[in-house]
């Protein structure tokens, strides 16, 4: 079977069901963290560092609290210059294989439609079929402050509104939002929001 969407970077997901779902959408090296198992697995941590240095890496965890803990662990384990971050939107529901929904009630990577997964990878700047995202002028922390997304009393409310508008996870920090905005839009597009 030939895949239409070959991704050059290594993709890191939480578990085997995420890997199975994603492998039906893209042709890529997909590594599982075994959930929190990566925290104490030095061999897996070294594998992630090695693969990231060779091919680049896309961290693609769920948008729940556990997914962000794992994402942040990987950010500390792998040199950030090799990382890109793909985010799925907060969609509430239950995966088909589960008897009940997750603690936070959100679908994970395994519950997303193929077009959502591919879109998230493209938005993250994945190199798909040999084509990488165009480089745009960068949005800065100062730009975030000037637009009121950081440093003010109402900043968290304003960020939450932007996250919802863009279909991004509600738990995303200001720093993570800045990284994502730099993938999704140019500085000029951001300033015109």
């Amino acid at each position: 079977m030939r895949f239409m969407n070959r991704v050059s970077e290594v993709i890191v997901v939480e578990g085997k069901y995420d890997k199975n779902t994603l492998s039906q959408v893209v042709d890529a090296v997909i590594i599982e963290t075994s959930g929190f198992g990566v925290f104490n697995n030095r061999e897996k941590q070294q594998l992630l560092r090695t693969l990231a240095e060779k091919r680049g890496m896309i961290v693609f965890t769920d948008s729940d609290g556990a997914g962000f803990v794992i994402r942040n662990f990987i950010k500390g384990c792998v040199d950030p210059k090799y990382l890109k971050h793909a985010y799925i939107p907060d969609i509430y529901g239950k995966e088909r294989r589960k008897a009940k929904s997750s603690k936070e009630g959100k679908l994970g990577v395994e519950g997303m439609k193929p077009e959502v997964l591919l879109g998230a990878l493209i938005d993250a700047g994945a190199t798909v079929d040999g084509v990488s995202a165009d480089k745009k002028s960068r949005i800065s922390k100062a730009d975030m402050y000037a637009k009121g997304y950081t440093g003010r009393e109402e900043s968290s409310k304003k960020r939450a509104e932007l996250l919802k508008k863009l279909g991004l996870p509600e738990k995303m920090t200001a720093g993570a939002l800045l990284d994502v905005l730099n993938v999704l839009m140019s500085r000029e597009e951001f300033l015109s929001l």
Side-chain angles (χ1 to χ4, degrees):
M1 177 178 194
R2 183 169 170 352
F3 293 89
M4 297 286 294
N5 305 299
R6 181 177 296 268
V7 175
S8 299
E9 296 87 354
V10 174
I11 303 171
V12 179
V13 296
E14 292 179 49
K16 66 182 178 182
Y17 295 104
D18 299 328
K19 180 178 180 177
N20 181 47
T21 298
L22 198 54
S23 67
Q24 295 174 45
V25 178
V26 296
D27 180 12
V29 174
I30 304 171
I31 304 293
E32 305 166 35
T33 67
S34 302
F36 293 142
V38 71
F39 296 172
N40 297 316
N41 188 333
R42 300 231 183 263
E43 290 176 358
K44 174 98 31 134
Q45 293 169 24
Q46 184 56 51
L47 174 65
L48 293 176
R49 284 190 287 272
T50 301
L51 291 173
E53 289 172 14
K54 297 286 184 199
R55 303 249 316 251
M57 182 169 284
I58 299 172
V59 182
F60 204 176
T61 58
D62 296 347
S63 61
D64 60 5
F68 276 90
V69 169
I70 294 167
R71 180 183 300 278
N72 287 328
F73 179 82
I74 294 170
K75 282 168 126 176
C77 175
V78 176
D79 189 331
K81 72 181 177 188
Y82 300 116
L83 293 178
K84 296 176 182 177
H85 294 275
Y87 295 91
I88 56 173
D90 285 332
I91 298 176
Y92 292 88
K94 176 187 82 64
E95 273 94 9
R96 279 185 274 163
R97 71 173 179 86
K98 295 181 179 176
K100 60 180 186 170
S101 44
S102 69
K103 181 179 175 183
E104 294 181 32
K106 298 176 185 176
L107 293 175
V109 170
E110 75 171 277
M112 291 290 134
K113 293 182 178 177
E115 58 271 16
V116 172
L117 295 172
L118 185 58
L121 288 168
I122 291 168
D123 287 347
T127 305
V128 180
D129 294 330
V131 178
S132 62
D134 294 330
K135 296 289 181 194
K136 305 170 190 159
S137 58
R138 308 244 341 133
I139 303 162
S140 68
K141 288 181 180 180
D143 294 328
M144 292 278 287
Y145 178 80
K147 294 288 284 182
Y149 293 114
T150 60
R152 300 194 181 128
E153 209 171 293
E154 69 279 359
S155 293
S156 61
K157 182 180 180 206
K158 195 167 180 182
R159 271 196 318 276
E161 291 168 359
L162 180 62
L163 290 167
K164 188 170 186 164
K165 178 180 175 183
L166 297 175
L168 295 170
E170 64 188 350
K171 291 186 181 292
M172 191 174 286
T173 65
L177 175 58
L178 177 61
D179 292 340
V180 170
L181 289 173
N182 273 307
V183 171
L184 294 179
M185 62 186 70
S186 69
R187 182 173 184 267
E188 293 72 30
E189 290 168 324
F190 173 75
L191 294 175
S192 70
L193 285 177

